[in-house]
mmCIF file with all atom_site columns, all heavy atoms in Angstrom:
data_model
loop_
_atom_site.group_PDB
_atom_site.id
_atom_site.type_symbol
_atom_site.label_atom_id
_atom_site.label_alt_id
_atom_site.label_comp_id
_atom_site.label_asym_id
_atom_site.label_entity_id
_atom_site.label_seq_id
_atom_site.pdbx_PDB_ins_code
_atom_site.Cartn_x
_atom_site.Cartn_y
_atom_site.Cartn_z
_atom_site.occupancy
_atom_site.B_iso_or_equiv
_atom_site.pdbx_formal_charge
_atom_site.auth_seq_id
_atom_site.auth_comp_id
_atom_site.auth_asym_id
_atom_site.auth_atom_id
_atom_site.pdbx_PDB_model_num
ATOM 1  N N   . GLU A 1 154 ? 133.527 -4.685 30.871 1.00 97.00 ? 1188 GLU A N   1
ATOM 2  C CA  . GLU A 1 154 ? 133.988 -3.214 30.679 1.00 97.00 ? 1188 GLU A CA  1
ATOM 3  C C   . GLU A 1 154 ? 133.513 -2.295 31.626 1.00 97.00 ? 1188 GLU A C   1
ATOM 4  O O   . GLU A 1 154 ? 132.707 -1.402 31.362 1.00 97.00 ? 1188 GLU A O   1
ATOM 5  C CB  . GLU A 1 154 ? 133.487 -2.873 29.158 1.00 97.00 ? 1188 GLU A CB  1
ATOM 6  C CG  . GLU A 1 154 ? 134.201 -3.710 28.179 1.00 97.00 ? 1188 GLU A CG  1
ATOM 7  C CD  . GLU A 1 154 ? 134.054 -3.234 26.740 1.00 97.00 ? 1188 GLU A CD  1
ATOM 8  O OE1 . GLU A 1 154 ? 133.256 -2.322 26.469 1.00 97.00 ? 1188 GLU A OE1 1
ATOM 9  O OE2 . GLU A 1 154 ? 134.840 -3.659 25.818 1.00 97.00 ? 1188 GLU A OE2 1
ATOM 10 N N   . PRO A 1 155 ? 133.927 -2.470 32.858 1.00 97.00 ? 1189 PRO A N   1
ATOM 11 C CA  . PRO A 1 155 ? 133.548 -1.490 33.943 1.00 97.00 ? 1189 PRO A CA  1
ATOM 12 C C   . PRO A 1 155 ? 133.886 -0.037 33.577 1.00 97.00 ? 1189 PRO A C   1
ATOM 13 O O   . PRO A 1 155 ? 133.177 0.906  33.900 1.00 97.00 ? 1189 PRO A O   1
ATOM 14 C CB  . PRO A 1 155 ? 134.401 -1.914 35.188 1.00 97.00 ? 1189 PRO A CB  1
ATOM 15 C CG  . PRO A 1 155 ? 135.491 -2.829 34.623 1.00 97.00 ? 1189 PRO A CG  1
ATOM 16 C CD  . PRO A 1 155 ? 134.899 -3.457 33.398 1.00 97.00 ? 1189 PRO A CD  1
ATOM 17 N N   . ASN A 1 156 ? 134.987 0.092  32.680 1.00 96.00 ? 1190 ASN A N   1
ATOM 18 C CA  . ASN A 1 156 ? 135.357 1.457  32.308 1.00 96.00 ? 1190 ASN A CA  1
ATOM 19 C C   . ASN A 1 156 ? 134.268 2.004  31.427 1.00 96.00 ? 1190 ASN A C   1
ATOM 20 O O   . ASN A 1 156 ? 133.872 3.204  31.464 1.00 96.00 ? 1190 ASN A O   1
ATOM 21 C CB  . ASN A 1 156 ? 136.686 1.510  31.719 1.00 96.00 ? 1190 ASN A CB  1
ATOM 22 C CG  . ASN A 1 156 ? 137.035 0.471  30.692 1.00 96.00 ? 1190 ASN A CG  1
ATOM 23 O OD1 . ASN A 1 156 ? 136.437 -0.498 30.595 1.00 96.00 ? 1190 ASN A OD1 1
ATOM 24 N ND2 . ASN A 1 156 ? 138.097 0.669  29.899 1.00 96.00 ? 1190 ASN A ND2 1
ATOM 25 N N   . MET A 1 157 ? 133.679 1.237  30.589 1.00 94.00 ? 1191 MET A N   1
ATOM 26 C CA  . MET A 1 157 ? 132.539 1.704  29.811 1.00 94.00 ? 1191 MET A CA  1
ATOM 27 C C   . MET A 1 157 ? 131.206 1.859  30.582 1.00 94.00 ? 1191 MET A C   1
ATOM 28 O O   . MET A 1 157 ? 130.502 2.905  30.394 1.00 94.00 ? 1191 MET A O   1
ATOM 29 C CB  . MET A 1 157 ? 132.206 0.652  28.582 1.00 94.00 ? 1191 MET A CB  1
ATOM 30 C CG  . MET A 1 157 ? 133.281 0.655  27.649 1.00 94.00 ? 1191 MET A CG  1
ATOM 31 S SD  . MET A 1 157 ? 133.311 2.244  26.621 1.00 94.00 ? 1191 MET A SD  1
ATOM 32 C CE  . MET A 1 157 ? 135.116 2.493  26.862 1.00 94.00 ? 1191 MET A CE  1
ATOM 33 N N   . LEU A 1 158 ? 131.059 1.100  31.572 1.00 95.00 ? 1192 LEU A N   1
ATOM 34 C CA  . LEU A 1 158 ? 129.884 1.330  32.572 1.00 95.00 ? 1192 LEU A CA  1
ATOM 35 C C   . LEU A 1 158 ? 130.000 2.690  33.167 1.00 95.00 ? 1192 LEU A C   1
ATOM 36 O O   . LEU A 1 158 ? 129.208 3.500  33.304 1.00 95.00 ? 1192 LEU A O   1
ATOM 37 C CB  . LEU A 1 158 ? 129.818 0.248  33.594 1.00 95.00 ? 1192 LEU A CB  1
ATOM 38 C CG  . LEU A 1 158 ? 129.348 -1.111 33.201 1.00 95.00 ? 1192 LEU A CG  1
ATOM 39 C CD1 . LEU A 1 158 ? 129.519 -2.145 34.430 1.00 95.00 ? 1192 LEU A CD1 1
ATOM 40 C CD2 . LEU A 1 158 ? 128.114 -1.160 32.654 1.00 95.00 ? 1192 LEU A CD2 1
ATOM 41 N N   . ALA A 1 159 ? 131.317 3.021  33.675 1.00 94.00 ? 1193 ALA A N   1
ATOM 42 C CA  . ALA A 1 159 ? 131.479 4.333  34.315 1.00 94.00 ? 1193 ALA A CA  1
ATOM 43 C C   . ALA A 1 159 ? 131.480 5.533  33.275 1.00 94.00 ? 1193 ALA A C   1
ATOM 44 O O   . ALA A 1 159 ? 131.018 6.544  33.660 1.00 94.00 ? 1193 ALA A O   1
ATOM 45 C CB  . ALA A 1 159 ? 132.924 4.373  34.941 1.00 94.00 ? 1193 ALA A CB  1
ATOM 46 N N   . MET A 1 160 ? 131.771 5.167  32.070 1.00 91.00 ? 1194 MET A N   1
ATOM 47 C CA  . MET A 1 160 ? 131.659 6.227  31.041 1.00 91.00 ? 1194 MET A CA  1
ATOM 48 C C   . MET A 1 160 ? 130.069 6.461  30.760 1.00 91.00 ? 1194 MET A C   1
ATOM 49 O O   . MET A 1 160 ? 129.545 7.474  30.592 1.00 91.00 ? 1194 MET A O   1
ATOM 50 C CB  . MET A 1 160 ? 132.256 5.662  29.747 1.00 91.00 ? 1194 MET A CB  1
ATOM 51 C CG  . MET A 1 160 ? 132.407 6.671  28.657 1.00 91.00 ? 1194 MET A CG  1
ATOM 52 S SD  . MET A 1 160 ? 130.974 6.667  27.638 1.00 91.00 ? 1194 MET A SD  1
ATOM 53 C CE  . MET A 1 160 ? 130.979 4.962  27.032 1.00 91.00 ? 1194 MET A CE  1
ATOM 54 N N   . MET A 1 161 ? 129.327 5.352  30.902 1.00 86.00 ? 1195 MET A N   1
ATOM 55 C CA  . MET A 1 161 ? 127.842 5.506  30.580 1.00 86.00 ? 1195 MET A CA  1
ATOM 56 C C   . MET A 1 161 ? 127.349 6.304  31.731 1.00 86.00 ? 1195 MET A C   1
ATOM 57 O O   . MET A 1 161 ? 126.413 6.990  31.752 1.00 86.00 ? 1195 MET A O   1
ATOM 58 C CB  . MET A 1 161 ? 127.145 4.152  30.486 1.00 86.00 ? 1195 MET A CB  1
ATOM 59 C CG  . MET A 1 161 ? 127.470 3.365  29.209 1.00 86.00 ? 1195 MET A CG  1
ATOM 60 S SD  . MET A 1 161 ? 126.558 1.930  28.967 1.00 86.00 ? 1195 MET A SD  1
ATOM 61 C CE  . MET A 1 161 ? 127.901 0.738  28.756 1.00 86.00 ? 1195 MET A CE  1
ATOM 62 N N   . GLY A 1 162 ? 127.993 6.138  33.048 1.00 80.00 ? 1196 GLY A N   1
ATOM 63 C CA  . GLY A 1 162 ? 127.644 6.920  34.222 1.00 80.00 ? 1196 GLY A CA  1
ATOM 64 C C   . GLY A 1 162 ? 127.828 8.379  33.907 1.00 80.00 ? 1196 GLY A C   1
ATOM 65 O O   . GLY A 1 162 ? 126.890 9.175  34.239 1.00 80.00 ? 1196 GLY A O   1
ATOM 66 N N   . THR A 1 163 ? 128.964 8.750  33.287 1.00 77.00 ? 1197 THR A N   1
ATOM 67 C CA  . THR A 1 163 ? 129.186 10.187 32.782 1.00 77.00 ? 1197 THR A CA  1
ATOM 68 C C   . THR A 1 163 ? 127.974 10.653 32.006 1.00 77.00 ? 1197 THR A C   1
ATOM 69 O O   . THR A 1 163 ? 127.443 11.739 32.245 1.00 77.00 ? 1197 THR A O   1
ATOM 70 C CB  . THR A 1 163 ? 130.454 10.313 32.177 1.00 77.00 ? 1197 THR A CB  1
ATOM 71 O OG1 . THR A 1 163 ? 131.522 9.702  32.957 1.00 77.00 ? 1197 THR A OG1 1
ATOM 72 C CG2 . THR A 1 163 ? 130.848 11.807 31.925 1.00 77.00 ? 1197 THR A CG2 1
ATOM 73 N N   . MET A 1 164 ? 127.538 9.872  31.011 1.00 80.00 ? 1198 MET A N   1
ATOM 74 C CA  . MET A 1 164 ? 126.520 10.246 30.127 1.00 80.00 ? 1198 MET A CA  1
ATOM 75 C C   . MET A 1 164 ? 125.195 10.408 30.893 1.00 80.00 ? 1198 MET A C   1
ATOM 76 O O   . MET A 1 164 ? 124.448 11.287 30.642 1.00 80.00 ? 1198 MET A O   1
ATOM 77 C CB  . MET A 1 164 ? 126.429 9.160  28.852 1.00 80.00 ? 1198 MET A CB  1
ATOM 78 C CG  . MET A 1 164 ? 127.663 9.347  28.072 1.00 80.00 ? 1198 MET A CG  1
ATOM 79 S SD  . MET A 1 164 ? 127.241 8.644  26.456 1.00 80.00 ? 1198 MET A SD  1
ATOM 80 C CE  . MET A 1 164 ? 127.348 6.932  26.764 1.00 80.00 ? 1198 MET A CE  1
ATOM 81 N N   . MET A 1 165 ? 124.881 9.481  31.723 1.00 74.00 ? 1199 MET A N   1
ATOM 82 C CA  . MET A 1 165 ? 123.621 9.484  32.574 1.00 74.00 ? 1199 MET A CA  1
ATOM 83 C C   . MET A 1 165 ? 123.527 10.785 33.308 1.00 74.00 ? 1199 MET A C   1
ATOM 84 O O   . MET A 1 165 ? 122.607 11.448 33.365 1.00 74.00 ? 1199 MET A O   1
ATOM 85 C CB  . MET A 1 165 ? 123.417 8.331  33.407 1.00 74.00 ? 1199 MET A CB  1
ATOM 86 C CG  . MET A 1 165 ? 123.098 6.976  32.585 1.00 74.00 ? 1199 MET A CG  1
ATOM 87 S SD  . MET A 1 165 ? 123.003 5.608  33.876 1.00 74.00 ? 1199 MET A SD  1
ATOM 88 C CE  . MET A 1 165 ? 123.510 4.340  32.819 1.00 74.00 ? 1199 MET A CE  1
ATOM 89 N N   . LYS A 1 166 ? 124.719 11.145 33.922 1.00 73.00 ? 1200 LYS A N   1
ATOM 90 C CA  . LYS A 1 166 ? 124.739 12.204 34.844 1.00 73.00 ? 1200 LYS A CA  1
ATOM 91 C C   . LYS A 1 166 ? 124.481 13.510 33.914 1.00 73.00 ? 1200 LYS A C   1
ATOM 92 O O   . LYS A 1 166 ? 123.755 14.451 34.237 1.00 73.00 ? 1200 LYS A O   1
ATOM 93 C CB  . LYS A 1 166 ? 126.080 12.407 35.526 1.00 73.00 ? 1200 LYS A CB  1
ATOM 94 C CG  . LYS A 1 166 ? 126.262 11.542 36.762 1.00 73.00 ? 1200 LYS A CG  1
ATOM 95 C CD  . LYS A 1 166 ? 127.493 11.916 37.548 1.00 73.00 ? 1200 LYS A CD  1
ATOM 96 C CE  . LYS A 1 166 ? 127.592 11.109 38.775 1.00 73.00 ? 1200 LYS A CE  1
ATOM 97 N NZ  . LYS A 1 166 ? 128.942 11.313 39.351 1.00 73.00 ? 1200 LYS A NZ  1
#
Side-chain angles (χ1 to χ4, degrees):
E1188 297 190 345
N1190 45 342
M1191 288 295 124
L1192 290 177
M1194 189 272 300
M1195 290 184 237
T1197 307
M1198 290 199 285
M1199 284 181 212
K1200 279 187 181 172

